[in-house]
Coordinates of all heavy atoms in Angstrom, one line a residue:
S44 N 103.1 -36.2 -118.9 CA 103.0 -35.5 -117.6 C 103.5 -34.1 -117.8 O 103.0 -33.2 -117.1 CB 103.9 -36.3 -116.6 OG 105.2 -36.3 -117.0
A48 N 101.4 -30.7 -116.8 CA 101.8 -29.7 -115.9 C 101.9 -28.3 -116.6 O 101.5 -27.3 -116.0 CB 103.2 -30.1 -115.4
A71 N 100.7 6.6 -99.0 CA 101.8 7.5 -98.8 C 103.1 6.8 -98.7 O 104.2 7.3 -99.2 CB 101.5 8.4 -97.6
F99 N 99.4 -1.8 -101.7 CA 100.0 -1.0 -102.8 C 101.4 -1.6 -103.1 O 102.3 -1.7 -102.2 CB 100.2 0.4 -102.4 CG 98.9 1.2 -102.2 CD1 98.3 1.3 -101.0 CD2 98.2 1.7 -103.3 CE1 97.1 1.9 -100.8 CE2 97.0 2.4 -103.2 CZ 96.4 2.5 -101.9
R126 N 116.9 -7.0 -100.4 CA 117.0 -8.5 -100.4 C 115.7 -9.1 -100.3 O 115.5 -10.3 -100.6 CB 117.9 -8.9 -99.2 CG 117.2 -8.7 -97.8 CD 118.3 -9.1 -96.7 NE 117.6 -9.1 -95.4 CZ 117.3 -8.0 -94.7 NH1 117.6 -6.8 -95.3 NH2 116.8 -8.0 -93.5
W129 N 110.8 -9.4 -104.8 CA 110.2 -10.6 -105.3 C 109.5 -10.3 -106.6 O 109.5 -9.1 -107.1 CB 109.2 -11.2 -104.3 CG 107.9 -10.5 -104.1 CD1 106.7 -10.7 -104.8 CD2 107.6 -9.4 -103.2 NE1 105.7 -9.8 -104.4 CE2 106.2 -9.0 -103.4 CE3 108.3 -8.7 -102.3 CZ2 105.6 -8.0 -102.7 CZ3 107.7 -7.6 -101.6 CH2 106.4 -7.3 -101.8
T156 N 114.3 -19.0 -105.3 CA 113.9 -20.4 -105.0 C 112.8 -20.8 -106.0 O 112.5 -22.0 -106.0 CB 113.4 -20.5 -103.6 OG1 112.3 -19.7 -103.4 CG2 114.5 -20.1 -102.6
L179 N 76.4 1.2 -115.2 CA 76.3 2.4 -114.4 C 76.7 3.6 -115.2 O 77.9 3.7 -115.6 CB 77.1 2.4 -113.1 CG 76.6 1.4 -112.1 CD1 77.6 1.3 -110.9 CD2 75.2 1.8 -111.6
V201 N 93.8 18.2 -91.6 CA 94.7 17.0 -91.2 C 94.9 16.2 -92.4 O 94.0 15.7 -93.1 CB 94.0 16.1 -90.1 CG1 94.8 14.9 -89.8 CG2 93.7 16.9 -88.9
D235 N 78.1 -0.1 -105.9 CA 77.0 0.8 -105.7 C 77.1 1.5 -104.3 O 76.7 2.7 -104.2 CB 75.7 -0.1 -105.7 CG 75.3 -0.5 -107.1 OD1 75.7 0.2 -108.0 OD2 74.6 -1.5 -107.2
Y246 N 93.9 10.3 -84.0 CA 92.5 10.7 -84.0 C 91.6 9.5 -84.0 O 91.9 8.4 -84.5 CB 92.2 11.5 -85.2 CG 93.0 12.8 -85.3 CD1 94.3 12.8 -86.0 CD2 92.6 14.0 -84.7 CE1 95.0 14.0 -86.1 CE2 93.4 15.1 -84.8 CZ 94.6 15.1 -85.5 OH 95.4 16.3 -85.5
D254 N 75.9 6.0 -101.2 CA 75.5 5.3 -102.4 C 76.1 6.0 -103.6 O 76.3 7.3 -103.5 CB 74.0 5.2 -102.6 CG 73.3 4.3 -101.6 OD1 74.0 3.5 -101.0 OD2 72.1 4.6 -101.3
P264 N 82.2 21.5 -106.9 CA 83.0 20.4 -106.5 C 82.4 19.7 -105.3 O 81.8 20.3 -104.4 CB 84.3 21.1 -106.1 CG 83.9 22.4 -105.7 CD 82.7 22.8 -106.5
N281 N 96.0 1.6 -83.8 CA 97.1 0.9 -84.5 C 98.1 2.0 -84.9 O 97.8 3.0 -85.5 CB 96.6 0.2 -85.7 CG 95.9 -1.1 -85.4 OD1 96.3 -1.8 -84.5 ND2 94.9 -1.4 -86.2
L282 N 99.4 1.8 -84.5 CA 100.5 2.6 -85.0 C 101.1 1.9 -86.2 O 101.7 0.9 -86.0 CB 101.5 2.8 -83.9 CG 102.7 3.7 -84.2 CD1 102.2 5.2 -84.3 CD2 103.8 3.6 -83.1
G352 N 110.1 -14.2 -79.6 CA 109.2 -13.1 -80.1 C 108.9 -12.1 -79.1 O 108.8 -10.9 -79.4
R364 N 110.1 4.0 -77.8 CA 110.3 4.9 -76.7 C 111.6 5.8 -76.8 O 111.6 7.0 -76.6 CB 110.4 4.1 -75.4 CG 110.5 5.0 -74.1 CD 110.3 4.1 -72.9 NE 111.3 3.1 -72.8 CZ 111.3 2.1 -71.9 NH1 110.3 2.0 -71.0 NH2 112.2 1.2 -71.8
K380 N 104.4 -2.9 -73.3 CA 103.9 -4.2 -73.0 C 104.3 -5.1 -74.2 O 103.6 -5.1 -75.3 CB 102.4 -4.2 -72.8 CG 102.0 -3.7 -71.4 CD 100.5 -4.1 -71.1 CE 100.2 -3.7 -69.7 NZ 98.8 -4.1 -69.3

Side-chain angles (χ1 to χ4, degrees):
S44 65
F99 292 95
R126 68 188 187 285
W129 74 94
T156 63
L179 290 174
V201 176
D235 286 334
Y246 299 91
D254 293 335
N281 286 322
L282 183 69
R364 184 170 61 189
K380 281 197 175 180

